[in-house]
Amino acid sequence: MASVRQPVTIDGNEAAAYVAHKTNEVIAIYPITPSSPMGEHADEWSVRGVKNLWGTVPLVIEMQSEGGAAGAVHGALQAGSLTTTFTASQGLLLMMPNMFKIAGELTPTVFHIAARTVATHALSIFGDHSDVMAVRATGWAMLFSNSVQEVMDQALIAQAATLQARVPFMHIFDGFRTSHEVMKIERLSDDDIRSLIDDRLVHELRRRALSPDHPFIRGTAQNPDVFFQEREAANPYYDAVPGIVQEVMDRFAARVGRSYHLFDYVGAPDADRVVVVMGSGAETTEQMADYLNAHGEKVGVLKVRLFRPFSVPHFLRALPPTVRAIAVLDRVKEPGAVGEPLYVDVCAALGSAQRDNPALAEHPPVIVGGRYGISSKEYNPAMAKAVFDNLMEGRRKNNFTVGIEDDVTHTSLDYDHYLDIEPPDVTRAVFWGFGSDGTVSANKNTIKIIGEETPDYAQGYFVYDSKKAGAHTVSHLRFGPRPIHSPYLIQHAGFIGVHQFGFLERFPILDSAADGATLLLNSPYDPERTWDEIPRPVQEAIIAKKLKVYGVNAYAVAQQTGMGNKINTIMQTCFFAISGILPREEAIARIKESIVKTYGKRGEAVVQKNYNAVDASLSGLYEIPVPAQATSTVEPRSKAEAGVPEFVRKVTIPMMEGRGDELPVSAMPVDGTWASGTTRYEKRNIALEVPVWAPEVCIQCGRCSLYCPHAVVRAKVVDEQDWERLLAAQGRGLPAGNAPVEERRLGGNVLATVGEGHLPASVIPPAEGVACTLPGAQPPARMEERPSLGAHLPPTEELRRPAGLAPSLQWLPARWREPELSGKRFTIAVSVEDCTGCGVCVEVCPAKDKRAVGRKALNMEPVLPIREQAVANWAFFKRLPRVTPNAAFRYDTTKNVQLLQPLFEFHSACAGCGETPYLRLLSQLVGDRLYIANATGCSSIYSSNLPGMAYAYNHEGRGPAWSNSLFEDNAEFGLGFRLTLDKQTQFARELVERLRPRLGGELADGLLHADQESHDGIEAQRRRVAELRRRLEGARDPDALNLLSIAGFLVRKSVWAVGGDGWAYDIGYGGLDHVLATGLNVHMLVLDSEVYSNTGGQASKSTDLGAVAKFAVGGKRTPKKDLGMMAMSYGYVYVAQVAMGASDSQTIRAFQEAESYPGPSLIIAYSTCIAQGFNMTFSAAQEKRAVDSGHFILYRYDPRLRAQGRNPLQLDSKAPSIPLREYYYSENRYRMLAQSDPDQAERLLAEAQEHVRERWQLYDYLAHRPVAEAQPELERA
Amino acid sequence: MDLSTTYLGLKLKNPIVPSASPLSRHVDTIRRLEDAGAAAVVMYSLFEEQQHLESLQLDHYLEYQTEAFAEALTWVPTEPQYKLGSEEYLEHIRRAKEAVQIPIIGSLNGISCGGWTRYAAEMQQAGADAIELNPYYVATQIKDTAQEAEERVLAITREVKGRVSIPVAVKIGPYWSAMGHMASRLVEAGANGLVLFNRFYQPDLDLEALEVVPHLTLSTSEEMRLPLRWVAILYGRVPADLAITTGVHTYQDVLKGLMAGARVTQMASELLQNGIGRIREILVGLSTWMAEREYASVVEMQGSMSQQNVADPAAFERANYMKVLHSWRPDPAGQLFRAMLP
């Protein structure tokens, strides 16, 4: 039967989800990058009523973890439903126990895996095969797809095969390549799918299911007598799998026309060299093989599709008999193994074949193995050529790597970086976009236009930034007359679009421009001036490559046409206009059609503004004449100025400049240990407007610095004399970076710095140098050649800047208004180069100019005219010493807390992020003695995503000790910190006792009985520990050496487990609950944004009634889980709910009380998030609205109060004072439901309002009940 | 006794029409208004800006920070269709029409020509019996001339009229240099009726927060005198049905409005404050008053005290101002004066 197959332009995730949704009845999922979109697609389709092959809508459920999803899948399968899930990386590992069971029970199912790197020395969201290889022993068949079309095809082949074979299948494709590559493919029709799926096998699955109607037992406990035998009993099923898969592939080919084999050989039939590979790299390798064969060589590629069960006969049949040398490429590293998994299998296969085949045994081919593409490392034809070349006689390096420079163990193959083998009739275009300026959306649109409206084929791949605010994107687009098999980045583009002029300075953009290419610039300058503003090296490249250059002021057009900062439509129109890919008029008509398709449902105003933008674009487009010589005086700003630590200069800064791929192995730390506080070097300059301080209006309240999400607004109280001396020193032209640094090394690398607040040596006595040492064993001697972390550090990173500019007059400090520290000066500075321009500081500023109330103590101003001055002010500010207050000074108010140095700064969170002010506050209060266990999620990514590490250190070199274990185990990870602290503190105290005679009774007693409740008490203990070290210096006896190594534990530390609601409410709840129950002194900070933020807005158990989120498309039907109430039920856990915007003083109090509480504590911090859908500038006001409406109640539950005869629960917010509607409908997540299903929205709102009322009544009752009724404090373990 | 009247060609059972207000947001309330005796209902307004804003806002939040960060390419699930304000509004008109017998008058509030005026046609399709157009415009741009301000309102009136076949009333404010001329030009532009006057909400200053705050107060009968004057002046001079809105609280207010020349009197504040049942009470008061004075019908009294039908037409003009001034006598106790102090 003929069927019509629709061409669609979709990515691999959608292709897999399409077939999975068609062929399953139950889908249980949990989001994890890069597989999350598969579950989201399935959920949306089910919500919209899209039916599967049997005419029923699959049931989709989001679970609390991948472990939970696997359990649910296992159960659903056992009960007789066609069931699937989607996952990757650690998620797959969490499914592993169930996978053994599912396979052991011969249960047909397909898990679709967007293969991703498993976290080792670091987390990586990118792609390789380490996850699937880690579970290859589970007994699952493993079928690999190499392209988007194959994903759709083989998803079906896997489904059909598993039903027949009963062996469960992993259907695997490359994460962040195939999963996210948009391709024009042919969508399988329902008839195609129907023709492959045999309903009798589905009925068989149901017949084998558990049922009380025909009871039997599955999942027994077995003993040595039979377990082994039953394990072997399933062998025939595994033996049959290859044949079944091939038979299904053949049926598929007969029906659809695309032919697949377990091992697909392509290339010369008489090849002497063959590369064995699986995944998207096979496409690239094939392209190179074709090229080499066309140039007279004889090579081939063996694409492995069915890796498990590995069929030796099929493998041997596929291999050309002429082969003399084989390279096996693995996209995984298995440290310590003889070789990686595919290599080992190939060796074993050929080894066994030699036993049976004497001819082969006589002339066995040489087999070498190598690694490529780890964590999405680029693998392109040039690298493939290197692999083929390595098979030539005399080379044949085994255990090689390709794509990197390994100058340590010398595994890497050299390759030609400039090789271009792509056919000339393939249009190749690269676009550099700015975060959310719509570049990627427009490019996806362009692919759809070409792919679906013309006969041409289209491919799009998008490289995203790891930053959330101010990110950049690079889109790689190919169009051509034939299907495109190039799963690698474009290196020779005929068109380069630069959508942000500043990128010309920041990135090596023209590296990928082919000779004679067209360059389109979004230029904020006049046509006459644009050329002159192009940096000189870029001009030189333009001239050398003979580029044709066009300009358009897209931001101006966007402003004129109501597009705001969205320049996507404008740049897209210009691209079509000058690329000639379609006739201009036709292109414009197509763009307008696509505008209606994309935006039509959002209303006429949106369509109209886009139309206006299209119409206005071309009038602003102009060609820039290119002179024969470069004329620019603009030189790129380099971050690598004098004085930057060597490691930062040689490693961190190249990464910041997008040249991390060029770093050799020798530049890398060996164990995942990186320097703290490196975000300060990024200076991303992403804000167009920044706050400027007006001292005469300022009331010194501290709200601006408390709320600043990025810690760019800082306050100090300083001594006037220091100010004057520093000013005078600067006036004398003293070089900025002349403070001497004492560099101490211990072991290998040194992380060393002295921090802010130290005047140059010629002004005041030199600051003491401080060294933070990298732990670990002595590195190999060869490492001595490496740039050390922090060698030759300047006093501060800011001092690298010229000291020429004096602080501006407008910035002179005001008199500090409070009686404490009276007579001192107060000043605020803004690091404009790190600012995101969110405007939160201005919004929370309560001070108003009496002469013009619209002017506040901070006001947003365009950055360009003031940037250099502001940078000078900041440098000056950082050098000003803080005044050290006396012991009576309490850091318990916003006004005073602002004077504490943040040790969390310039992270990559979204502009206006509501989570980060809490972390900054924590770092201010206890940052110099803080351990943070950070659950995977937004808070771990914006803190630690290289190259910038946001947790910093103070002038003494102290700062948060931070680490991330996993998403699911964070509370336990934090507990581990506490266990070590408690144990080592105890041991240190024992050693102090033992060494009392040497230390002296007074010091020993001081150390053992120190009151460390206050800041001064802790400082005093630090001095004692320093004295201890002095007295034991040079000691050689074991006790003394032991004490020296752990004396630091005598100073009280603070352990915090930090994460989002996904962690605390869902995946990590069990651990969180257990750690609370232990009674041990671990503090939990839940940054509660009420949604999975990092993975893109999936519902968590913190998501409230009526909120629209992924997996709650029709509005969440259940209320937010009351985590605080659950924790309070223990009676001995300190619990608080805080929302800084509603009460900053309550927030500060809660943090201090929790920290001082000697047992477990839990702070649930209401955190605004862009996923909630409101203007983040008004974060604080929105938090207040959440509290005023009763959606979020502020309270503190302090078990210590019982001892005072008081009720431990104190309500800190008032009864709801505004209707919930006012809060709900100020956020898109709730408003969306009103726009899609108004009746349901009203019902859920009414229900939520009632819930708010009931909850308030309950809390009010609990807070005011007689204290005698309070539970007695439970005995601690 | 015949309380019926005609307005915009619609035969109404009495002259009381609830004006555009939150009262019409729920079909149940509209049904209650009918039960209480309302002759027609003017729906709450569909605002041009609201349409634009909802559309742009939805677009903004669907797009915001998407396709930028690798792990979160989108933030919210997309819907196949969104019911923006207009769809909800049109659906509401449909439901209201099904629920009640009385005419439903759609209310359109905006100030620019262009695509959004198609909502007038859609209101008609949804069943609206008439349109009340509210081109509320504050000419804050100093360079804008009075003529431009007038032209803007006239243009939009013409455009809306061009889109519908049902009658269109224009609700205007009192701040025109030449009200009479403006009224006649509006009629020339196609207005079938004039609703006097739009009661602008004026912002207030919060002295604690030093902020400008919106301020909403309900009207009083006292405020009716401005529209009363202009209805009396325009009656018989412009070929359009006149309606009074603002300050109609009692049956006496209704009587005054009718006598000045209004076909209907619109009310909202009274109903918001004292309940929908007030319509019934006012109708009783109206009937009683008419019976006592032997008025057979409402029509009989309409315009009976308009400027052209009173003995002293100057009472509605500048001469009246002089008369009021002369009637004032100093307050010996100074109480009135003190009460005027802030």
Side-chain angles (χ1 to χ4, degrees), chain A residues 262-275:
Chain A
L262 308 188
F263 300 91
D264 262 318
Y265 177 76
V266 290
D270 54 349
D272 56 355
R273 286 167 292 149
V274 170
V275 174

Side-chain angles (χ1 to χ4, degrees), chain A residues 40 136 182 238 373 382 450 476 492 599 699 757 759 1015 1042 1118:
Chain A
E40 292 163 15
R136 68 183 189 275
V182 179
Y238 284 87
I450 304 289
H476 297 254
H492 302 273
Y599 304 116
I699 58 172
L759 295 174
H1015 180 75
N1042 275 327
T1118 50

Side-chain angles (χ1 to χ4, degrees), chain A residues 33 464 602 604 848 1235, chain B residues 55 59 67 71 83 118 209:
Chain A
T33 306
Y464 300 96
R602 300 180 193 175
E604 191 169 288
K848 292 178 180 175
Q1235 287 166 338
Chain B
S55 175
D59 179 56
E67 298 286 3
E71 298 201 64
K83 293 176 183 163
R118 72 179 163 82

